[in-house]
Amino acid sequence: MAGCRGWVVRLAALLVVGFVLGSVEASLGDVDPQYRTCVEECHTTGIIGENIISHCQSPGNDDASVGSSWYAQEPLYMEWKHLNCRTDCRYHCMMQREGERQSHGLSPVKYHGKWPFIRVSVFQEPLSAALSAVNLLVHFTGWLSFFLLVNYKLPVRPQTKRTYYEYTGLWHIYAILSMNAWFWSSIFHTRDIDLTEKLDYSSAVALLGYSLILSLLRTFNVKDEATRVMFAAPILAFVTTHILYLNFYELDYGWNMKVCVVMAVVQLLAWAIWAGVTQHPSRFKLWVVVFGGALAMLLELYDFPPYKGYADAHSLWHASTIPLTYLWWSFIKDDAEFRTSTLIKKAK
């Protein structure tokens, strides 16, 4: 047992070091003078080499609305349907500059916080968008099987007709937040605008905060409603404040990374320690999810450029969460069966 706890501490320390180093990385492409000159000229002329950016040659291009009142900006449906002037200029200038860098044997760099991905139709990050959609589907099927299990397959309390499992409602909320987060992740990787970015980040933070609450309630076996509120209230207050800060004050990527990693590490530690001390019949599934999730987080922290312009560390993280999500919902269903059988035996 001591050896297992030692591995948990080492892994947590590695994650902490990773996010401290990862949060100080800057986007070198943004400050490249040649890139900035290219973008400025594109905004003015709408021409980059052989590419003609039609949006920049129309009177309603993106520059006119930057910093203006909300009612003067381009409608959302138009912004989604047409890649605006600024987006197209940045993309074509980025690809042109990366071609020049590659010809000189230089490695790719990030532009505006992202690696240079090759677009496919309207999909700015096609692989991450597709894998986000698959994660959404896996969460939906996992939640659906859990719903059918607790409501139609397991016995219910004869007096109230409610499930024996004390955490049923909490897991339903978790499923909704998970599907919401992956939905906006898919949209954001398809089309990166301010609105989709904030919805993606906010949804992810909300999911992590709620997952932290749920992990503490389950590992400490909290059943009383008043005690649950005491556990949840400070975390909910912090998460709500953080989301408001990101949306209405400053979208600070470095600070948000630190907040998310701390919440993730705390809940992974809670589940890992609980799995080590409990005699839960599915504790080995939980171990796989915990250590697999921790290793997957390293892909978020120790980043690398996209292979062939499509697969970067972030997209591989999306891929790694698919089997972990399937196993996670399997553990949740096992936990429901275990708690139901335990409570029925006690009732007899």
Side-chain angles (χ1 to χ4, degrees):
M1 188 63 63
C4 290
R5 283 196 291 266
W7 276 107
V8 171
V9 172
R10 293 189 191 99
L11 195 54
L14 185 60
L15 291 170
V16 170
V17 171
F19 91 76
V20 170
L21 294 176
S23 64
V24 299
E25 183 182 0
S27 297
L28 298 177
D30 301 3
V31 297
D32 184 340
Q34 295 183 50
Y35 168 77
R36 295 172 71 92
T37 300
C38 174
V39 172
E40 291 173 1
E41 291 179 352
C42 173
H43 283 171
T44 304
T45 65
I47 299 175
I48 306 174
E50 298 180 354
N51 297 299
I52 298 176
I53 313 301
S54 59
H55 310 297
C56 297
Q57 297 177 334
S58 63
N61 70 51
D62 187 66
D63 286 335
S65 63
V66 174
S68 62
S69 301
W70 63 269
Y71 53 80
Q73 295 186 9
E74 188 179 47
L76 178 60
Y77 72 91
M78 288 295 292
E79 192 172 10
W80 179 266
K81 185 176 180 181
H82 303 290
L83 295 175
N84 57 38
C85 173
R86 181 179 60 180
T87 301
D88 273 2
C89 284
R90 285 181 176 182
Y91 175 74
H92 289 290
C93 287
M94 174 184 70
M95 299 309 294
Q96 176 179 285
R97 186 69 187 110
E98 281 302 303
E100 295 170 354
R101 290 177 56 85
Q102 187 176 9
S103 65
H104 290 88
L106 299 175
S107 300
V109 294
K110 287 186 176 182
Y111 297 80
H112 309 285
K114 289 189 174 186
W115 291 111
F117 292 94
I118 298 175
R119 285 193 326 209
V120 177
S121 184
V122 298
F123 296 90
Q124 294 179 332
E125 298 177 48
L127 186 57
S128 290
L131 291 172
S132 295
V134 174
N135 272 284
L136 170 59
L137 180 61
V138 174
H139 268 289
F140 174 74
T141 56
W143 167 76
L144 183 61
S145 60
F146 170 75
F147 177 84
L148 295 173
L149 173 70
V150 295
N151 287 283
Y152 297 102
K153 296 180 181 180
L154 294 178
V156 296
R157 299 177 187 270
Q159 298 87 358
T160 61
K161 301 301 180 180
R162 299 179 64 181
T163 63
Y164 279 96
Y165 189 47
E166 311 97 319
Y167 304 94
T168 299
L170 296 176
W171 285 118
H172 287 329
I173 297 173
Y174 168 80
I176 293 171
L177 290 175
S178 296
M179 289 185 284
N180 175 71
W182 285 113
F183 171 79
W184 287 115
S185 174
S186 181
I187 297 299
F188 171 62
H189 289 302
T190 299
R191 184 72 172 91
D192 179 2
I193 59 176
D194 289 342
L195 178 62
T196 57
E197 182 180 41
K198 289 180 178 179
L199 285 168
D200 175 52
Y201 277 72
S202 300
S203 299
V205 171
L207 174 59
L208 277 171
Y210 183 80
S211 299
L212 175 58
I213 293 170
L214 188 50
S215 67
L216 297 177
L217 295 180
R218 182 63 188 97
T219 56
F220 284 96
N221 201 29
V222 180
K223 303 171 187 176
D224 180 68
E225 292 297 329
T227 308
R228 286 182 174 184
V229 172
M230 291 177 62
F231 265 83
I235 300 175
L236 283 175
F238 173 77
V239 169
T240 302
T241 303
H242 180 63
I243 291 175
L244 292 173
Y245 174 84
L246 294 177
N247 282 274
F248 299 106
Y249 184 71
E250 180 185 4
L251 188 55
D252 189 329
Y253 300 102
W255 169 243
N256 184 64
M257 171 70 80
K258 294 175 183 178
V259 170
C260 290
V261 171
V262 167
M263 289 195 294
V265 168
V266 170
Q267 58 189 282
L268 286 175
L269 285 172
W271 284 117
I273 295 171
W274 182 75
V277 300
T278 187
Q279 295 300 314
H280 198 286
S282 296
R283 59 188 179 276
F284 295 108
K285 288 183 181 179
L286 186 56
W287 275 113
V288 173
V289 173
V290 166
F291 282 104
L295 292 174
M297 283 177 60
L298 296 177
L299 290 171
E300 286 286 87
L301 303 173
Y302 298 95
D303 205 2
F304 57 83
Y307 178 72
K308 299 294 185 181
Y310 296 104
D312 69 330
H314 185 69
S315 63
L316 293 182
W317 174 76
H318 283 317
S320 69
T321 54
I322 294 172
L324 293 176
T325 298
Y326 177 84
L327 194 61
W328 178 236
W329 277 106
S330 177
F331 164 76
I332 295 170
K333 290 183 288 184
D334 291 347
D335 188 46
E337 293 178 340
F338 173 66
R339 287 297 304 162
T340 298
S341 62
T342 301
L343 292 172
I344 290 176
K345 288 178 182 177
K346 287 183 178 180
K348 294 180 178 178

